[in-house]
């Protein structure tokens, strides 16, 4: 019997892991391939804070706002990057899509399997991966860090893995904005310009949500200025 099937071993609470929905995951994988092809049409620039130089041996926890993540996939990450995806049915689609975009997926959420998922992220970081978190999720409010201090998954993961928190943001010269979504999801138009900005690294020890939010907003401003400077 394969993992996740009837013969899978239960966890410490006696629960058996759910089998992946292969159809949903395949749909997500195909969507991810379409996204990769679409993003190749945009003109891309990366702005990296000089303080990031010399941190190659330290894992990063990339921290950003929901709504900007589509354009972020245009950046070819510096190394394998792990992300946390919910255990919902929609999470199966996300797992497939993010996998096809080159990301490593750990499953869990703030309501189900969160501790298990966070442990998976930390394990990946200790093995040499970076990690990425949208810190205002899963349902907002938009642009507000959920929790504070070690209750913020990104901050806790960085501290446990001996990493740094790196604020991250994107901006598009022209984009479709899904106004009815809570995060105002942005999709860059074909052949538009996309700028991705990496801010100064932050020590997770003593880091609070307000400081992290300001750093992400500053990265967004850096990306917007880059677009204004190169019309």
């Amino acid at each position: 019997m394969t993992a996740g099937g009837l013969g899978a071993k239960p966890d410490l609470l006696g629960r058996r892991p759910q089998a992946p929905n292969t159809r949903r995951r395949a749909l997500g994988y195909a969507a991810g391939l379409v996204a990769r092809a679409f993003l190749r049409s945009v003109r891309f620039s990366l702005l990296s804070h000089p303080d990031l130089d010399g941190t190659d041996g330290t894992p990063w926890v990339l921290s950003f706002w929901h709504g900007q993540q589509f354009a972020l996939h245009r950046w070819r990450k510096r190394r394998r990057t792990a992300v946390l995806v919910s255990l919902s049915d929609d999470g199966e689609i996300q797992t497939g899509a993010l996998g096809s975009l080159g990301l490593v997926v750990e499953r869990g959420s703030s309501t189900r399997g969160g501790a298990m998922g966070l442990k998976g992220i930390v394990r990946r970081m200790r093995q040499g991966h970076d990690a990425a978190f949208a810190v205002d999720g899963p349902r907002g409010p938009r642009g507000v860090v959920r929790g504070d201090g070690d209750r913020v998954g990104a901050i806790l993961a960085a501290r446990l893995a001996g990493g740094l928190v790196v604020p991250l943001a994107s901006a598009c010269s022209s984009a479709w904005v899904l106004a009815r979504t809570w995060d105002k999801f942005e999709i860059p138009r074909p052949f538009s310009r996309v700028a991705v900005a990496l801010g100064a690294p932050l020590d997770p020890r003593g880091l609070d949500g307000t400081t992290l939010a300001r750093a992400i907003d500053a990265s967004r401003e850096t990306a917007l200025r880059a677009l204004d400077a190169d019309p």
Side-chain angles (χ1 to χ4, degrees):
M1 216 27 113
T2 59
L6 295 176
K9 294 182 179 179
D11 63 15
L12 294 177
L13 298 179
R15 299 171 301 190
R16 294 185 182 275
Q18 293 180 323
N21 186 317
T22 53
R23 181 174 296 180
R24 284 178 177 269
R25 198 167 286 193
L27 176 63
Y29 190 87
L33 293 178
V34 172
R36 284 176 58 182
F38 180 88
L39 287 169
R40 287 195 186 110
S41 73
V42 304
R43 291 177 289 160
F44 172 76
S45 59
L46 176 68
L47 301 99
S48 182
H49 196 280
D51 287 353
L52 292 170
D53 295 342
T55 64
D56 288 345
T58 305
W60 293 354
V61 178
L62 302 163
S63 302
F64 57 94
W65 298 135
H66 273 95
Q68 299 179 30
Q69 62 264 47
F70 188 81
L72 294 175
H73 291 302
R74 181 60 178 82
W75 170 42
R76 186 173 182 177
K77 310 295 187 290
R78 68 164 189 161
R79 58 184 178 181
R80 295 297 299 278
T81 300
V83 295
L84 189 63
V85 172
S86 77
L87 294 167
S88 66
D89 288 340
D90 288 345
E92 290 291 344
I93 297 175
Q94 288 182 306
T95 296
L98 294 172
S100 70
L101 289 166
L103 296 167
V104 177
V105 174
E106 293 288 341
R107 303 299 298 274
S109 70
S110 58
T111 55
R112 286 200 299 156
M116 177 182 66
L118 183 62
K119 287 180 181 178
I121 293 289
V122 172
R123 182 180 67 251
R124 296 282 187 180
M125 293 176 65
R126 289 172 176 170
Q127 293 170 351
H129 291 64
D130 289 334
F133 284 81
V135 294
D136 57 347
R139 295 189 178 93
R142 177 172 173 256
V144 177
V145 174
R146 183 182 177 90
D148 196 21
D150 280 352
R151 290 183 296 166
V152 179
I155 296 174
L156 180 57
R159 186 174 65 80
L160 292 175
L164 295 167
V165 177
V166 178
L168 175 67
S170 69
C172 312
S173 62
S174 179
W176 292 294
V177 178
L178 306 185
R180 293 187 178 182
T181 59
W182 72 265
D183 59 357
K184 302 296 186 290
F185 194 85
E186 298 177 2
I187 303 174
R189 296 178 187 272
F191 311 110
S192 62
R193 290 175 294 115
V194 166
V196 169
L198 297 164
L202 303 171
D203 189 330
R205 295 170 297 181
L207 180 62
D208 58 67
T210 299
T211 302
L212 177 56
R214 289 173 179 165
I216 297 172
D217 288 340
S219 294
R220 171 74 164 185
E221 291 300 319
T222 298
L224 288 169
R225 286 196 301 270
L227 295 179
D228 291 339
D230 184 23

